[in-house]
Amino acid sequence: MHVTTDANADAPWLIAGLGNPGPEYAMNRHNVGFMVADLLAQRIGGKFKRAAKAQAQVVEGRIGAPGPASRRVILVKPMSYMNVSGGPVTALRDFYKVPTGHIVAVHDELDIDYGALRLKLGGGDNGHNGLKSMTKAMGPDYHRVRFGIGRPPGRMQVADFVLKDFASAERKELDYFVDRAADAVEALIIEGLERAQSTYNS
């Protein structure tokens, strides 16, 4: 496996799964970032705990095989609601001394077909309130793992669509797609953006 190297190679990575707190939002399309973060926490054998320094839940651990490929990660679920995600993420970035280029936002994306992934560094927010808040707080130069949810059917408003649960037909494949998104986050951190894009971008 190729291992990425950069000037901040020893710095931790902060993976922010974006969503809204509370059981009523748990299966919403807008909460797919939380779903991916939960799976990554399972993989590293950790449980989310309330952060002392921010309105968020965090898990610390390592991704990758033991040795030089291993990377220290902080998984974050902001508990501030989506449209003010930037505050908790920035507070934790500062506390853990994470370079902005080692921050990954995992979020739902309307302009990509359901289940498809796109990985990128920087760029606009495309109307996504979580990204808008993060960019306002720290600038745009963080990674994004964009999880496609498709466009609303008919005349349904975007706000209604993203705050609805995945449809029953979508749920049949949801676990597979969340698993693949978690794989993509790991590949981004261990192998670097270009290799992860070549494997997972669709």
Side-chain angles (χ1 to χ4, degrees):
M1 175 184 283
H2 173 83
V3 178
T4 186
T5 57
D6 60 51
N8 296 306
D10 293 330
W13 285 77
L14 191 155
I15 303 161
L18 301 185
N20 287 308
E24 67 271 33
Y25 299 107
M27 290 304 296
N28 286 182
R29 294 182 178 92
H30 221 19
N31 269 44
V32 74
F34 275 17
M35 298 174 198
V36 175
D38 284 337
L39 179 56
L40 286 166
Q42 285 180 33
R43 290 184 179 185
I44 66 175
K47 290 190 175 181
F48 277 100
K49 296 178 182 175
R50 189 173 175 179
K53 302 294 180 181
Q55 190 177 357
Q57 292 183 352
V58 297
V59 176
E60 294 183 58
R62 300 192 77 86
I63 282 176
S70 176
R71 295 284 181 264
R72 182 181 171 214
V73 296
I74 301 102
L75 303 175
V76 178
K77 294 195 297 185
M79 292 287 113
S80 57
Y81 290 98
M82 178 71 85
N83 61 353
V84 284
S85 300
V89 174
T90 304
L92 291 166
R93 175 200 67 177
D94 294 345
F95 177 71
Y96 287 104
K97 298 179 171 58
V98 179
T100 302
H102 276 213
I103 294 174
V104 182
V106 185
H107 64 92
D108 58 303
E109 178 60 63
L110 287 159
D111 287 336
I112 303 174
D113 291 341
Y114 173 59
L117 297 174
R118 301 269 173 80
L119 284 67
K120 62 182 287 192
L121 173 62
D125 57 60
N126 205 24
H128 191 285
N129 287 332
L131 297 184
K132 195 175 294 183
S133 177
M134 285 182 60
T135 297
K136 183 178 179 181
M138 68 179 71
D141 298 326
Y142 53 91
H143 290 86
R144 300 100 189 275
V145 173
R146 306 159 72 200
F147 185 112
I149 60 169
R151 301 293 303 186
R155 297 186 177 184
M156 184 186 291
Q157 295 294 312
V158 165
D160 294 332
F161 180 70
V162 298
L163 292 175
K164 285 194 183 310
D165 289 359
F166 283 101
S168 57
E170 292 172 326
R171 285 200 294 270
K172 291 176 183 175
E173 295 182 293
L174 182 60
D175 287 349
Y176 168 76
F177 289 139
V178 168
D179 191 71
R180 190 165 182 270
D183 289 346
V185 172
E186 293 183 348
L188 168 62
I189 291 170
I190 300 300
E191 300 180 29
L193 178 61
E194 288 187 12
R195 281 178 176 255
Q197 285 175 325
S198 68
T199 303
Y200 292 99
N201 275 17
S202 51

